[in-house]
Amino acid sequence: MAVLPGAASVPVVKILHHNHAAPATSLHGGSIALSSSPSPRLSGSRRVAESRGVLRASGRPLQERIQRARLIRHHRRAPSPLICPAPAPPMAESTVAAAAPGGGGAGALAVDRSALGQRLLALGRGRLRLFLDTADVAEWDKWLPTGIFHGVTTNPLLLERAGRECSVDALAKLAHMAFDLGAQEIQLQTWGATVEEMVDTGKRLGIIDPRVVIKIPATVDGIQAARQLISSWGFRVTLTAVYASHQVLLAQGVGAQYAAPYLGRMDALGKDGKAEIIAMQRAVSATSSATRVLVASVRAPGEVSALAAAGVDTFALPPAIVARMLHVPETETAAADFERAALAQAPKDN
């Protein structure tokens, strides 16, 4: 292709997609040529015009040449599809809605909203897991519908406070009630005077549902029972009643999914509960363990946010703390102001 003498030459730009060559574009000092050939080597304008379909644009108006030059610059900036990272898997599509008066717009794409919601929920939560720490079904009815909880945690003391029977059959019914209310997990505590008895009860609890996690006190017998339930039976386990930072290593050693320190009780005994729990979390992170530090016996909302800022991501919250976290007077006042303004500015009926 001929080039005007002294004109600056812009290299040919090619856009490749799936091993196919798109038409190449070249700008030569006001003369623009489009070529469908993958080769930039030209032997003459006549031969090019006949065999390679070159379109000469030297006679085009200035505005059109400027527009073509902008197109070339756009293609230069665009990354090659051949080296771009693979896109994320597309979300499920239920249908493609056609344009309709009053509809969602031309070609509006209707996606699987449930799948999108689950993806957004996972992204928002990150590693955070909140449990409702009670066996009182009335509290479950009140707080589980908020959607903030991963599940519920119980133990024999909580069953006693709620007036619930401590038996495998009663706990099976309780578990299914929690699942019906949206809980993804329920933690049920085994019992027994020996390792064998704790294992036997734990197995009966574990087969209720795969979403059951078996809680076991972090005693010598409890650790042995936990080991058997995990390694021999494949049940998930929480080592509970943890009071010292080194006990999290014992939970990791047996492969427990959770280690549950009692923050409030540690403080009541004169320990620095927050420091102990942060040390547990650091040990878990430093050893690349999947064990979660599940903080129980929380006495104030600020304890949760402070520990979360230090990297702790799993909490069992009693209903009283949940109420304090959800009911913030300033937030409720602002919400009432918004609603008043919305009503005041609503269209008036004629």
Side-chain angles (χ1 to χ4, degrees), residues 159-245:
L159 292 172
E160 184 178 48
R161 293 173 191 168
R164 289 281 171 179
E165 179 182 315
C166 186
S167 69
V168 173
D169 289 342
L171 291 177
K173 294 177 181 177
L174 198 63
H176 290 299
M177 293 172 67
F179 298 144
D180 288 343
L181 288 170
Q184 298 179 53
E185 280 186 9
I186 185 169
Q187 301 208 8
L188 305 174
Q189 188 161 321
T190 188
W191 61 89
T194 65
V195 172
E196 291 72 21
E197 289 178 1
M198 283 191 284
V199 170
D200 181 64
T201 305
K203 288 190 294 184
R204 294 166 63 199
L205 292 173
I207 62 176
I208 291 172
D209 190 279
R211 293 168 286 184
V212 169
V213 178
I214 304 165
K215 294 178 72 174
I216 307 177
T219 62
V220 174
D221 286 351
I223 289 171
Q224 292 182 52
R227 179 62 176 176
Q228 291 186 40
L229 289 169
I230 295 168
S231 63
S232 299
W233 297 95
F235 294 122
R236 294 181 296 150
V237 164
T238 293
L239 277 190
T240 191
V242 170
Y243 283 84
S245 58

Side-chain angles (χ1 to χ4, degrees), residues 11-263:
V12 172
V13 178
K14 296 182 180 180
I15 304 171
L16 300 181
H17 186 66
H18 300 300
N19 297 324
H20 294 292
T25 309
S26 181
L27 174 63
H28 294 276
S31 178
I32 301 174
L34 300 178
S35 173
S36 60
S37 170
S39 173
R41 299 180 61 184
L42 306 176
S43 59
S45 59
R46 181 177 180 82
R47 179 180 174 184
V48 170
E50 293 177 354
S51 63
R52 299 187 181 182
V54 171
L55 173 63
R56 298 291 296 175
S58 57
R60 302 285 184 181
L62 176 60
Q63 185 61 35
E64 184 174 343
R65 282 182 284 167
I66 292 174
Q67 290 175 353
R68 289 177 180 270
R70 287 173 178 170
L71 177 63
I72 293 171
R73 289 196 298 270
H74 168 74
H75 288 319
R76 277 180 158 181
R77 289 192 298 265
S80 170
L82 296 179
I83 60 174
C84 288
M91 288 176 287
E93 301 175 4
S94 57
T95 184
V96 177
L109 182 64
V111 300
D112 185 338
R113 290 294 171 182
S114 177
L116 174 61
Q118 290 302 311
R119 185 173 182 183
L120 292 174
L121 181 62
L123 289 172
R125 284 182 172 175
R127 279 186 51 83
L128 178 69
R129 284 188 186 176
L130 301 178
F131 289 86
L132 185 57
D133 194 27
T134 181
D136 188 338
V137 176
E139 297 290 353
W140 294 1
D141 287 333
K142 183 187 299 184
W143 301 119
L144 287 181
T146 63
I148 65 176
F149 292 103
H150 181 73
V152 297
T153 50
T154 68
N155 61 40
L157 283 175
L158 294 177
L159 292 172
E160 184 178 48
R161 293 173 191 168
R164 289 281 171 179
E165 179 182 315
C166 186
S167 69
V168 173
D169 289 342
L171 291 177
K173 294 177 181 177
L174 198 63
H176 290 299
M177 293 172 67
F179 298 144
D180 288 343
L181 288 170
Q184 298 179 53
E185 280 186 9
I186 185 169
Q187 301 208 8
L188 305 174
Q189 188 161 321
T190 188
W191 61 89
T194 65
V195 172
E196 291 72 21
E197 289 178 1
M198 283 191 284
V199 170
D200 181 64
T201 305
K203 288 190 294 184
R204 294 166 63 199
L205 292 173
I207 62 176
I208 291 172
D209 190 279
R211 293 168 286 184
V212 169
V213 178
I214 304 165
K215 294 178 72 174
I216 307 177
T219 62
V220 174
D221 286 351
I223 289 171
Q224 292 182 52
R227 179 62 176 176
Q228 291 186 40
L229 289 169
I230 295 168
S231 63
S232 299
W233 297 95
F235 294 122
R236 294 181 296 150
V237 164
T238 293
L239 277 190
T240 191
V242 170
Y243 283 84
S245 58
H246 69 265
Q247 287 179 296
V248 76
L249 303 177
L250 308 179
Q252 292 177 244
V254 296
Q257 185 167 17
Y258 301 94
Y262 291 168
L263 174 59

